[in-house]
Amino acid sequence: MSGNLFELLIRFDPAGLHDAARKWRDLSTGAQSAENRHRSQVNGPLRQAKWEGADAQKAFYTLGRTEQILEILRVEAAAVALTLDTVAERMYQAQTNLKNAVHRAEEQGLSVGADGTVNLPPLGEGERNDPDAASSPERKALTTLRGDVQERINKALADAQQASDQGDRALGRLDAGILTRPRVFGSAAETAADVRDVAKDLGLADPYVPDNKDPKTSADWWKALTPEQQSTYLALYPERIGQLDGLPATVRDEANRLVLDQQLDALKAGSPRGSDMTAGEYNAREQTLMKLKEQLDQHDTAVEDKRVFLLGLDAKAYGGDGKAIVAMGNPDTADHTAVLVPGTGTTIDSTGGQLTRVNDLQEAAKQASKGTNQKVSVISWLGYDAPEVPVVQAPNLSVAWDSRAKDGAEALRQFTQGTRVAQGDHPSHLSVFGHSYGTTLVGAAAAGGEGLGADEIVAVASPGLTVDRADQLHIDPSHFWTGRAADDNIDKVAGYSLGADPVDDEFGGQRFEVDTSGHSGYWDDGSTSLDNQGRIIVGKPPTTLPRLTVNPLGPL
């Protein structure tokens, strides 16, 4: 602030700054909308059309850069709005304190000068001739009051100056020139770092965001925010918003895509120096995130049921294997929702294969409900540290024990609960599938706490679900389904360290017909195995088989 601070603060009108903040926030929201339209109506359809060649590569690079610029603009504009609103509120509070102090002074007969100096009232004619008047109790009390009021005025002026200085530093970081810098990579990540520094410049405490332990608490918190506040949280704190179970799928997708782009941009721009990663690990993470982004880009389309939602992302989790939760179709509005938990060896790098599997399940479900016009969403849930495939050179026997499953059980329970919360008054028919070791996690999650809240639980190629009977899974055994190919080698380990064999008739539940071969053929196009899974998703009975009586000791 410049000029006479006292007079400036007395005349200060916060409406001007708030109005400017609102316009910046509108710009941020507009950039977000433009990016979404660009992705779904320009970039996505072109990728869907399988445009290839040198021209296509150049065009997709330019299209991607356009979306990045819109992201930067969105974040920068949101940070400017936050800064202006924060400064306005602090200045208004300082002004209120200043006016209260002046009013207090005037009530007691003190005068306040144009520079904020508090003056005692002059002695009366009789008092000026009285040597004891200046030291009378009344005059001493007034002098004490003058000092107190002066201190309050000085504090209000100092607070206003501090708010002005903080705003100046914060806005100084937000350089619009970042949009036109020739450096290709690093600008999005730099903007995210600038935003964190802006919060420090403003002396803002970390914003309150629920701890993600109760999806209903998270959902209620989000709904209580104004649209402007929601927009600010999404732009400035996407990493924290994207992980909250119970929030709408569109919100989580938006937040996690922003996190993905910022992390990928940072990896492209940076180097291993200053990082705890080696050059190889640095490059591996970049390639992993690139693959994920490419998969998301390939599925960007205006077709509603094929829209892909990134519901969870953590590239740093589990030693770099990472976690990613991806839905095809919006689970919040679906009539039928299936959650597929993959098994051994699955990482973020497996997203392409998981999306293919998710698509196959969705198509099978749509075929099973043909003519009903019902919506189906299928989710690949890699929210746990799937066991590594054992190799001779580096044997890893985590696949033989249930510790990984139990470690991830609460996260899966919370996710399915959050799915229900986000669906609100439109509850979906919910099926939870597991494949291979994924069934062990599904079993651990279903057996613990209050279960998964699922309408159906499906164990495909299961080595065991950590329990002995289907009725231990918090579900009616008639809605527990299991299937295994005749030549699936998983039967050689089923029923040992991971719980009872679910195809054993002692386990209970239903056994659906499988006509495919091996451990990964259950989603073969046109197979009865896939058709039966689709029927389960939409609540139709599959073709079933009699259960087996299994001798755990093998043939004698």
Side-chain angles (χ1 to χ4, degrees):
M1 297 181 72
S2 60
N4 188 321
L5 183 56
F6 178 81
E7 291 184 346
L8 288 173
L9 188 56
I10 286 290
R11 296 197 307 267
F12 173 71
D13 182 0
L17 285 180
H18 283 309
D19 185 58
R22 183 168 58 254
K23 288 181 171 59
W24 279 100
R25 193 171 290 107
D26 288 344
L27 177 61
S28 177
T29 303
Q32 170 197 342
S33 299
E35 182 195 354
N36 291 341
R37 289 196 304 273
H38 188 277
R39 193 172 65 230
S40 63
Q41 298 176 21
V42 181
N43 204 347
L46 286 173
R47 291 184 184 277
Q48 286 289 314
K50 306 297 183 184
W51 187 24
E52 297 178 346
D55 289 342
Q57 290 180 354
K58 292 179 181 178
F60 282 131
Y61 172 84
T62 302
L63 293 174
R65 179 61 177 159
T66 297
E67 291 178 6
Q68 185 184 69
I69 289 173
L70 288 169
E71 279 186 357
I72 294 169
L73 178 59
R74 171 192 176 189
V75 175
E76 288 257 345
V80 171
L82 175 66
T83 300
L84 294 177
D85 273 336
T86 300
V87 171
E89 289 164 4
R90 291 177 177 175
M91 294 281 286
Y92 179 66
Q93 183 60 57
Q95 182 192 57
T96 300
N97 294 339
L98 177 64
K99 288 183 175 180
N100 288 340
V102 171
H103 180 67
R104 172 66 172 156
E106 292 172 345
E107 279 186 332
Q108 300 300 317
L110 301 172
S111 62
V112 181
D115 62 352
T117 301
V118 182
N119 302 298
L120 290 170
L123 294 172
E125 185 176 346
E127 292 175 316
R128 285 197 295 270
N129 298 321
D130 183 354
D132 297 325
S135 59
S136 67
E138 292 79 6
R139 194 69 175 181
K140 286 182 177 179
L142 203 56
T143 301
T144 300
L145 176 63
R146 172 190 174 278
D148 176 64
V149 172
Q150 187 69 70
E151 184 177 341
R152 290 166 61 185
I153 288 176
N154 293 344
K155 176 68 164 56
L157 296 176
D159 289 345
Q161 186 65 62
Q162 182 182 42
S164 177
D165 292 344
Q166 288 175 331
D168 185 57
R169 283 196 301 273
L171 291 175
R173 293 186 185 277
L174 301 172
D175 177 14
I178 196 172
L179 304 180
T180 55
R181 288 180 186 174
R183 181 163 58 89
V184 175
F185 300 120
S187 51
E190 182 178 310
T191 297
D194 284 344
V195 167
R196 289 190 292 271
D197 289 336
V198 162
K200 294 178 182 177
D201 288 338
L202 295 172
L204 293 174
D206 281 345
Y208 170 75
V209 177
D211 58 10
N212 201 29
K213 292 182 179 179
D214 178 16
K216 188 175 186 308
T217 296
S218 298
D220 289 345
W221 167 78
W222 183 255
K223 292 174 185 175
L225 298 176
T226 65
E228 292 78 13
Q229 290 171 326
Q230 290 177 350
S231 178
T232 297
Y233 272 98
L234 270 170
L236 303 185
Y237 310 105
E239 194 165 348
R240 300 175 69 178
I241 299 303
Q243 68 180 353
L244 292 180
D245 293 310
L247 266 58
T250 52
V251 171
R252 298 184 69 175
D253 175 63
E254 187 178 316
N256 287 317
R257 284 180 187 251
L258 182 54
V259 170
L260 172 61
D261 287 344
Q262 290 176 347
Q263 290 187 358
L264 189 55
D265 185 66
L267 289 166
K268 287 179 177 179
S271 68
R273 288 182 300 176
S275 168
D276 59 355
M277 291 186 292
T278 65
E281 291 169 337
Y282 211 86
N283 293 332
R285 183 171 295 176
E286 180 187 343
Q287 291 304 311
T288 291
L289 292 182
M290 275 293 297
K291 289 179 184 177
L292 176 59
K293 181 170 176 56
E294 287 171 1
Q295 288 298 321
L296 295 174
D297 287 346
Q298 289 174 15
H299 288 83
D300 278 337
T301 173
V303 179
E304 184 180 4
D305 66 343
K306 293 302 179 184
R307 181 178 171 186
V308 171
F309 297 82
L310 184 58
L311 303 182
L313 172 67
D314 187 347
K316 303 173 185 177
Y318 315 130
D321 287 348
K323 60 181 181 181
I325 304 170
V326 185
M328 182 171 288
N330 189 339
D332 299 349
T333 58
D335 300 292
H336 305 281
T337 301
V339 179
L340 174 62
V341 181
T344 303
T346 309
T347 66
I348 289 183
D349 283 343
S350 311
T351 300
Q354 286 302 112
L355 281 172
T356 298
R357 196 164 287 180
V358 158
N359 179 73
D360 292 341
L361 282 170
Q362 187 194 54
E363 288 299 310
K366 288 164 62 178
Q367 183 62 35
S369 61
K370 193 173 183 179
T372 63
N373 200 31
Q374 293 183 323
K375 299 177 182 178
V376 178
S377 172
V378 183
I379 303 167
S380 168
W381 189 86
L382 182 61
Y384 82 114
D385 187 9
E388 294 75 24
V389 177
V391 293
V392 175
Q393 294 86 349
N396 186 319
L397 299 180
S398 59
V399 69
W401 310 109
D402 62 10
S403 58
R404 297 284 183 94
K406 290 183 175 178
D407 288 346
E410 178 57 30
L412 180 58
R413 280 195 294 271
Q414 184 170 287
F415 179 79
T416 56
Q417 182 187 352
T419 300
R420 291 296 201 196
V421 168
Q423 289 171 347
D425 296 332
H426 183 75
S428 178
H429 177 261
L430 177 63
S431 306
V432 180
F433 286 68
H435 173 237
S436 190
Y437 191 90
T439 67
T440 308
L441 172 58
V442 169
E450 297 181 0
L452 293 172
D455 297 294
E456 321 284 343
I457 292 178
V458 188
V460 180
S462 177
L465 290 94
T466 74
V467 296
D468 296 325
R469 303 184 314 277
D471 61 11
Q472 295 174 305
L473 300 174
H474 287 94
I475 197 169
D476 184 330
S478 66
H479 290 274
F480 169 78
W481 310 89
T482 187
R484 183 187 297 160
D487 62 348
D488 189 338
N489 287 331
I490 199 73
D491 65 354
K492 292 181 170 57
V493 297
Y496 289 93
S497 60
L498 299 178
D501 190 340
V503 304
D504 189 341
D505 59 2
E506 295 296 326
F507 193 86
Q510 308 289 322
R511 183 169 176 240
F512 66 87
E513 182 181 357
V514 172
D515 65 340
T516 49
S517 178
H519 191 58
S520 301
Y522 299 90
W523 300 275
D524 287 352
D525 187 37
S527 66
T528 300
S529 303
L530 180 59
D531 176 67
N532 277 333
Q533 292 175 75
R535 294 178 68 84
I536 293 170
I537 290 173
V538 299
K540 289 187 175 182
T543 56
T544 58
L545 295 173
R547 284 198 161 275
L548 303 177
T549 300
V550 178
N551 180 359
L553 298 179
L556 299 176

